[in-house]
Amino acid sequence: AYIYHPEPLDQPVERWTYTMMYKEVNILANVMEKRGITKGDRITIFMPMIPQLPIAMLACAKLGAIHSVVFSGFSSTSLRDRINDAKAKMLITTDGAYRRGKLITLKANADPGLAECPSIQNVIVYKRAGNPVEMKPGRDLWWHEVTAAESDECPTEQLDAEDPLYMLYTSGTTGKPKGIVHVHAGYAVGTASTL
């Protein structure tokens, strides 16, 4: 499914099979469901390009939740505005990430904006870089801790073709960012037609 070359470049290449992805998606979906995520809930994803990003997206789709990926280079204010517009219940992020050799502290970057996001109930943090982060008790959860004892089987929510799959926000350079909604079947057809 994926051949992942992580940064820094001295880290080992990861090879992900479809079975591995399937199990990890189910595990994360179970974690999310146990924290009250159901069909129609919005989840914001603030992650670098690592295998856990598509795992989080697919876990949302499995539950019928609507994901919104926010570019990991955006500011805390930009993240806050998109979370509040979507009324997201959960944020999925990482402690940190690498871009061209530089450590980007995603969780620390997100925290100031999260203080102004009343809809957020939980923040799941994937330990990617190992940099120190502040974890707010009762809200913030380590991915590796909450997934450790979860089942790798999870039923898929039956959805209508027109149920929303994800929201993608415009850049906001000419005004307030606007959320563009893509639906399950429409996205599948669009992807197939472009391939």
Side-chain angles (χ1 to χ4, degrees), residues 11-31:
Q11 293 184 348
V13 171
E14 296 178 18
R15 296 178 186 277
W16 288 76
T17 66
Y18 286 97
T19 299
M20 290 165 63
M21 291 293 293
Y22 172 78
K23 289 180 177 182
E24 291 300 316
V25 167
N26 287 340
I27 289 168
L28 185 59
N30 283 328
V31 166

Side-chain angles (χ1 to χ4, degrees), residues 68-86:
S68 175
V69 176
V70 175
F71 171 53
S72 60
F74 275 178
S75 69
S76 184
T77 303
S78 296
L79 176 65
R80 177 203 64 201
D81 292 347
R82 287 158 176 79
I83 288 172
N84 286 337
D85 186 76

